[in-house]
Structure formats: C-alpha cells, structure tokens
Amino acid sequence: MDRKRVGILISGRGSNMMSLFEAVRRPGYPAEIVTVISNRPDAAGLAWAAGHGLATAVVDHQAFAAREDFESALHSALTAARVELVCCAGFMRLMTAGFVRRWQGRMLNIHPSLLPAFKGLDAQGQALAAGVKIAGCTVHFVVPEMDSGPIVAQAAVPVADDDTPETLSARILTAEHKLYPHALALIASGAARLDGGHVVGGHPVNQQAQLFSPAL
Ligand code: GAR
C-alpha cells in the first residue's frame, strides 16, 4: 500500500502528534510519519518524538528576522523529508499566505472548536463565554485566513454547567485524539477529497456518530 508521507508541525506538548503516532502503527493505516518539526527547541513533544524513533527537526522562529525566512527554512525541512501531507498539531505560528499557498490542499490543522465558531486563541474559553451546550474540535485544510478552510471532520462533546476552560479543554482533547487520526486517514486514503471548496466523501452518518462523545 502506498502510505502518504506525513510531516507533523508542533510547538508544545504534542499530544495530538502522539495520537497520530499510535494511529500510523495500525496495520493498513494509509499514512506514515516521516518527520516532526517544531518551531520551539524546547517543545516537550519533540523529545517524545525523538525518544520514539521519529525523525525530528527544529526550525526556531526566533532565529529568523523575517517570517518569510522562517517559513522558507520550514519549507526546506518539509521538502527534504519528502513530505506529502502536513499535519499542524498545536503549531502556534501564524503562517503567511505565501507559505500556505505552497501547501494548500496538502496541509491540515486541528482546532479545539466546532469551526466556524470560536476561531483564534482560547477557543474553549470562548465557548464557555458564549454559553454553548455542545463544543468540540475540527480538522480542516489550512487556507490563508486563520482557522478557516474546508472542514475534513468534526467531533462533538457536551458542555457541563460547571466546566472551566481546563475541564472543557481536557474533554475536547480526548475527542481530538480520536478525530485527527480519523481525519488524516480520510484524506490520506483518498476516501474524502476537496471538491469546490468543501471536503466530500467518506462521511457516512454512522461514522460521524462515532465522533460524538459520549457515543450516541
Ligand atoms: C490542541 O488542543 C489543539 O487543538 C490546539 O492546541 C492544542 C495542542 O495540544 N490548537 C490550536 O488551538 C490551534 N489554533 P497538543 O500539543 O497536546 O497536541
């Protein structure tokens, strides 16, 4: 089987990267991780990845005066590893339109809200402030506009009256760890694909229902 070569971009603890690492070990999973790249040398996820035998690289944004120079180094690291699909997993750098266009249609991101609601920082706090009763997470293709772009898959979780940003984040994170491997498999296998600005295919209702937590 032709497994898609995936590069993961992280900035922090990398728990979504870990869930992708577990997923690619499953027989028949349509992707492999060929590199993990962090913009922060001290990202905890980087040491974890190296300790688990993954190829890692650091492209430290602080070492570059201009964002474009940082991004061209990042682009070189991705192409050197012959990456076909990029998964942003807690990668906390805004990207220029130029960089995004180079990877458009080949770069995914996970965001801790049911987009298009609650873009930007502290999505979970925004959800609590809005008083929503269902929250969740989204995997989407990256486009120049922040936290936008064609939605690949979403998972939903309930919001409790006594939730804090921390408890809601933890519940959403558990859903993220199911969602990202699912969404990457849809795209890497070709079961779902971009069509006119939306992602189509590979979304039977019974599969979607598995992404409600607790399960329906
Ligand atoms: C995750 O909750 C992810 O959805 C969020 O950062 C966290 C990273 O955790 N991403 C964003 O907010 C992007 N806008 P992780 O490092 O443990 O995967």
Side-chain angles (χ1 to χ4, degrees), residues 66-213:
R67 197 178 285 271
E68 285 76 9
D69 296 335
F70 161 69
E71 289 179 342
S72 89
L74 187 56
H75 184 78
S76 300
L78 290 167
T79 50
R82 292 186 290 119
V83 165
E84 297 173 287
L85 275 175
V86 178
C87 287
C88 301
F91 185 65
M92 303 311 248
R93 294 301 292 169
L94 287 177
M95 295 166 174
T96 65
F99 179 80
V100 170
R101 281 198 205 97
R102 286 163 104 171
W103 290 94
Q104 202 156 322
R106 298 183 292 151
M107 181 155 61
L108 301 173
N109 180 45
I110 189 157
H111 182 75
S113 79
L114 292 172
L115 291 173
F118 314 133
K119 298 176 179 181
L121 291 176
D122 191 25
Q124 304 93 335
Q126 293 183 54
L128 289 178
V132 298
K133 304 304 175 206
I134 295 178
C137 46
T138 303
V139 173
H140 63 97
F141 279 104
V142 177
V143 296
E145 196 188 333
M146 183 191 64
D147 296 333
S148 302
I151 291 171
V152 178
Q154 295 182 301
V157 303
V159 180
D161 285 346
D162 60 354
D163 264 335
T164 62
E166 291 70 33
T167 59
L168 181 58
S169 298
R171 193 174 309 116
I172 293 173
L173 194 63
T174 305
E176 292 184 43
H177 296 159
K178 270 166 57 180
L179 183 68
Y180 217 161
H182 167 73
L184 175 59
L186 285 179
I187 297 303
S189 68
R193 63 182 199 290
L194 275 169
D195 181 11
H198 285 173
V199 174
V200 297
H203 296 89
V205 167
N206 61 350
Q207 242 185 58
Q208 290 287 101
Q210 287 168 25
L211 296 168
F212 289 98
S213 179

